[in-house]
Amino acid sequence: MSPLVLALLAGAAVGLALGALGGGGSVLAVPALVYLLDFTPAAATTAALIIVVLTSSTALYAHARAGDVRWKAGALVAAAGLLPAAAAGAAASRLPQPLLTAAFAVVAASAAVTMLRPGRAAADAAAADGAAAGGAAAAGGAGPARAVGAGAGLGALTGLLGVGGGFLAVPALVTVVGLGMRAAVGTSLLVISANAVASLATRGATTAGIDWAVVGPFAGAAILGAWDGRRLAAKADGTLLRRAFAVALLAVAAFMLADALT
């Protein structure tokens, strides 16, 4: 099968997961690029960041038009993650490839475990809905400090491993900032986009070697696949979709960890 066809199929799968689940789909981009399209782990994380920027920015526009982006809260969390994202992005190309693969496998497994616990997400959403409107719960006390800490951690994760981190950003915006679920999903796209751009700015060497004939179709298919994913989410059982994706992600993580250790 040609690289173009593989890129289109993999991109469609990533987009479908993103659209159906609202987060976590981009974590499939790196293993797809490594094992299907023969990218090195460092080049794959760079390419994944490009894909994340394009898909997240497109989705951000749609959520902003619907009024589901809290710009002030998102800017605070995003600003806290810019320097960590840039620093982690610069360090990623210098790390041993097996270490990068193993770290990614651990994060993918964590994402899968998070998705297998829908009860916790529902509880977080209920807690956020009971908080003061629009994230006012984070306005006093240790709220801003916790938001900055969460933003820094998300930035470092995005910069190092090339994942959007939506599976972590959404719960953080719900529990730390106090946003409702819809606003957290929309605002997370602002945080993800900013962190990915900051990381890309420090990846000059790996960006220069990107095969745009693969990355372009991959990103385009992901953007289109996300629309189908949204329609799928409206018709299918959300819990069943999330669990099926989580099981598949655990299998990918186990394979990547075994590959890194051999």
Side-chain angles (χ1 to χ4, degrees):
M1 193 175 294
S2 72
L4 175 60
V5 173
L6 286 173
L8 290 171
L9 292 175
V14 168
L16 192 68
L18 280 168
L21 303 173
S26 64
V27 79
L28 287 178
V30 170
L33 290 165
V34 171
Y35 296 107
L36 295 180
L37 296 163
D38 295 325
F39 279 54
T40 66
T45 56
T46 301
L49 283 169
I50 296 170
I51 294 164
V52 165
V53 168
L54 294 174
T55 55
S56 296
S57 298
T58 302
L60 175 62
Y61 174 74
H63 280 270
R65 290 193 63 183
D68 292 331
V69 180
R70 301 296 178 262
W71 297 98
K72 187 175 180 180
L76 172 64
V77 177
L82 293 180
L83 286 178
S93 61
R94 299 179 176 86
L95 293 175
Q97 302 296 302
L99 177 60
L100 203 60
T101 300
F104 188 93
V106 170
V107 170
S110 299
V113 171
T114 299
M115 290 180 177
L116 286 171
R117 299 170 62 189
R120 178 175 179 178
D124 290 344
D129 289 339
R146 293 176 62 201
V148 168
L154 290 169
L157 178 70
T158 299
L160 185 65
L161 300 179
V163 296
F167 62 93
L168 294 176
V170 172
L173 288 167
V174 168
T175 58
V176 176
V177 182
L179 300 185
M181 189 58 70
R182 285 175 61 89
V185 171
T187 306
S188 73
L189 294 167
L190 171 62
V191 177
I192 291 166
S193 299
N195 287 339
V197 169
S199 178
L200 281 172
T202 63
R203 285 176 175 248
T206 51
T207 303
I210 289 298
D211 186 353
W212 291 101
V214 170
V215 174
F218 195 119
I223 292 170
L224 293 176
W227 291 101
D228 290 331
R230 291 187 188 99
R231 287 194 288 269
L232 176 64
K235 298 177 181 178
D237 185 310
T239 300
L240 180 61
L241 282 174
R242 190 169 293 271
R243 286 178 178 172
F245 178 79
V247 170
L249 194 57
L250 277 174
V252 170
F255 177 82
M256 294 184 73
L257 188 58
D259 182 50
L261 296 177
T262 56

